[in-house]
Structures are given as C-alpha cells and as structure tokens.
Amino acid sequence: LGMTRAEIARKFDEIVAFAEVEKFLDTPVKRYSSGMYVRLAFAVAAHLEPDILLVDEVLAVGDAAFRRKSLQKMDDVARSGITVLFVSHDMNSIKHLCSQVMLLDKGNIRSLGEADRIIRDYQELSAATSDNPLTDRTDRKGEGGIRLVNITFYDANQKSIGTAIAGEPLNIALDYVADQNFSQLDFAVGFRTLAGAPLFVCMASNSTEPFSIQPGSGRVWCRINQIPLADGSYSINVAAHLGSVLYDWVERAATLDVISADFYGNGSVPLKSHSPFLVQSCWVQDERLIESRG
C-alpha cells in the first residue's frame, strides 16, 4: 500500500494491537473471520497517513469497544488534517464524525449540508418509499364497521419519517373510516420482528379512556416517548377493537426501520445481537443497593 519497510516496522506493533489480533499472528489471514479481516484492514488503513481515508461501513463489524475505538481513530485522523470520507447507514456515527454529509439516492446527490439536516432528509426519504397504504389490503380480519386505512410515522417535530432513531420519540398516526357509531373503541399498534415474533403492543386503553367514534373519517395518535428497539427492521400490526371483540385487524400493516443511536448515553451503539430491546437500568454493588433502597 505504498508503505516503506521502515514505516511497516515502526507501525507494525501498533497496527496489530489496534486490530486486536496478537493471538492470531501465526494464523493465515485466509482463515480469519470476516470480522477479523475487516478489523485488520481498517487498522492498516488508519495507520497509512493517506491524503484521503475512504471508510465504507467498517463499523458494522466488531464489538462496541472496537467501534468506539474506530470512531476515535477516525476522529483523530480527521483532526490531523486528513480528509475522511465515511460511507454508512449508521446515523449516530455520521452525526458524531461528519461536519458535512451527502445523501445519495440511486447514485444521485439528493442533498448536501450539516449532519442534523441531512439525517432528517434521510428519514423523510425513507418515509416516501415505505409501505403501501392499508386501503388496498383485503386480508384484514374483524367484524367490520370501521377500517384502518393508513399508518404514518412522525418524529418529535411532526415530520413524516420511514426510519426512526433508537431512543428518540416516535409518533404514530392511524387513519380510519367508520361506517357506524362506536361509543367505546380501543386501538392497538403491535411491534414484531420480521419473522413474526411478538415484541410489544401499545394500546390506547392503557393510557386513556376508550374513544367515542362517529361515522366518517378520522385519526388517532400513539406516542412512544423513547423507542426501545435496537437497530433493525420491525413489522407493525394495527387493530381497532374493544376487549376481545375485534372490529378491524391488519397484520404487517407497515415496516418500521430503526437505526442505531447512543441510547444509553455512554458513547456506544447497542448490539442487536444481544436483544431487540433497549432498556435503561441502574447497577450498584451490594451495600450501595441496600442504601439506595433504604
């Protein structure tokens, strides 16, 4: 890669230590896992002192500690005057690293500017290409009298999105058309994995009295103050019901993409491999726990 023997000798130990492959120096690289291979490749590239460092999704591999170390290394490289071109779907890393962001759509430049604004553009672009409306769905179940015809996701600023950020607010709008009066009606939004495993359900009756619905069209809102999901895609079911009586139910009504963020405020991105759920918790040692309870 253009390094002299003297440079290689000087940086060898540092590269090996950064990639954390000390125990595998005698193992042929062809037997490395994909994660080890990319870690080593990034470690070499990060120590090349190039004019431009092009990094494409390297932070998709490795544990949280390695990702933090890689982010810090790229930050150090950028501060030294080297240009870093970082290609990623990880909005948290982009926000942390990049002073200028370019959004590409089908190979064309859609927008260019500061990270916060371009991340919002990315969310809006995702919303524009999300699932079809519910009006055409014929596989719905229930006794009828009301139809759920659309589901729309909004961020905290009431902007339509197709991609949500872990730990941030999510507003869900359900549009309906009713053919009759309902003196009491409950609504539900259920979150599942793409494989169909249930995760959690948000029911209107858990936070308010059942709704009174008149014939015609209308909208109800569900707000989740902090999205408790790790990076990934999730299937959304919607329903209008009262107790065990189901009036309208649509499975896989929409798909919501959730992207990584610093959910715990510790500078790391949670790993989905641990769990799809993100839950805040407090840890202390024995006597301190007793004191905190007392």
Side-chain angles (χ1 to χ4, degrees), residues 5-294:
R5 285 185 175 274
E7 286 179 307
I8 294 172
R10 187 172 71 252
K11 298 179 180 179
F12 186 86
D13 290 342
E14 188 179 354
I15 291 172
V16 170
F18 189 94
E20 300 172 5
V21 294
E22 295 97 330
K23 297 179 181 178
F24 308 100
L25 283 181
D26 295 326
T27 302
V29 174
K30 66 181 180 181
R31 296 197 180 125
Y32 280 17
S33 68
S34 58
M36 291 169 63
Y37 191 90
V38 172
R39 285 162 68 119
L40 180 57
F42 176 77
V44 173
H47 290 82
L48 277 177
E49 299 178 6
D51 294 324
I52 299 174
L53 177 62
L54 175 60
V55 183
D56 186 356
E57 292 288 16
V58 69
L59 300 182
V61 299
D63 55 23
F66 180 76
R67 286 201 295 269
R68 283 199 302 271
K69 183 165 64 173
S70 299
L71 279 171
Q72 184 59 55
K73 182 63 176 179
M74 282 191 284
D75 196 31
D76 293 343
V77 169
R79 291 177 184 276
S80 71
I82 295 172
T83 297
V84 178
L85 184 57
F86 180 53
V87 184
S88 180
H89 292 90
D90 185 342
M91 297 300 109
N92 188 57
S93 297
I94 289 174
K95 188 173 182 178
H96 172 80
L97 275 177
C98 304
S99 56
Q100 289 287 301
V101 179
M102 178 187 295
L103 175 61
L104 298 179
D105 180 22
K106 298 180 178 66
N108 298 313
I109 299 174
R110 187 179 181 91
S111 54
L112 174 67
E114 295 182 354
D116 286 341
R117 181 172 66 82
I118 306 305
I119 288 173
R120 289 194 297 270
D121 289 348
Y122 174 77
Q123 291 178 290
E124 292 172 6
L125 176 62
S126 299
T129 57
S130 60
D131 302 82
N132 293 326
L134 303 184
T135 50
D136 300 329
R137 293 287 295 271
T138 58
D139 57 343
R140 59 184 71 235
K141 299 179 182 179
E143 297 187 4
I146 187 170
R147 286 169 56 90
L148 298 169
V149 296
N150 196 36
I151 177 171
T152 313
F153 302 108
Y154 295 88
D155 64 12
N157 299 315
Q158 295 301 310
K159 287 192 174 182
S160 176
I161 58 174
T163 303
I165 298 178
E168 293 195 359
L170 174 67
N171 296 304
I172 306 170
L174 286 181
D175 296 312
Y176 64 83
V177 175
D179 301 325
Q180 64 186 59
N181 285 309
F182 290 92
S183 59
Q184 290 186 318
L185 191 65
D186 197 2
F187 293 88
V189 177
F191 288 73
R192 298 192 175 200
T193 65
L194 293 183
L199 298 174
F200 63 90
V201 178
C202 298
M203 297 177 61
S205 58
N206 289 340
S207 60
T208 185
E209 294 295 324
F211 292 100
S212 176
I213 301 297
Q214 304 298 319
S217 60
R219 168 176 279 193
V220 292
W221 289 85
C222 171
R223 178 180 175 85
I224 300 175
N225 290 327
Q226 192 178 40
I227 304 170
L229 295 172
D231 183 272
S233 298
Y234 300 89
S235 178
I236 310 296
N237 297 350
V238 295
H241 67 103
L242 186 63
S244 61
V245 181
L246 189 64
Y247 294 103
D248 192 35
W249 179 80
V250 185
E251 187 177 15
R252 300 183 183 276
T255 299
L256 178 67
D257 295 323
V258 178
I259 56 179
S260 302
D262 186 7
F263 182 87
Y264 298 108
N266 59 5
S268 66
V269 177
L271 298 177
K272 188 183 177 181
S273 58
H274 293 169
S275 168
F277 288 110
L278 303 176
V279 179
Q280 293 281 3
S281 60
C282 178
W283 289 70
V284 293
Q285 288 184 310
D286 321 298
E287 62 276 5
R288 295 177 187 171
L289 179 60
I290 296 173
E291 291 172 4
S292 65
R293 286 178 175 176

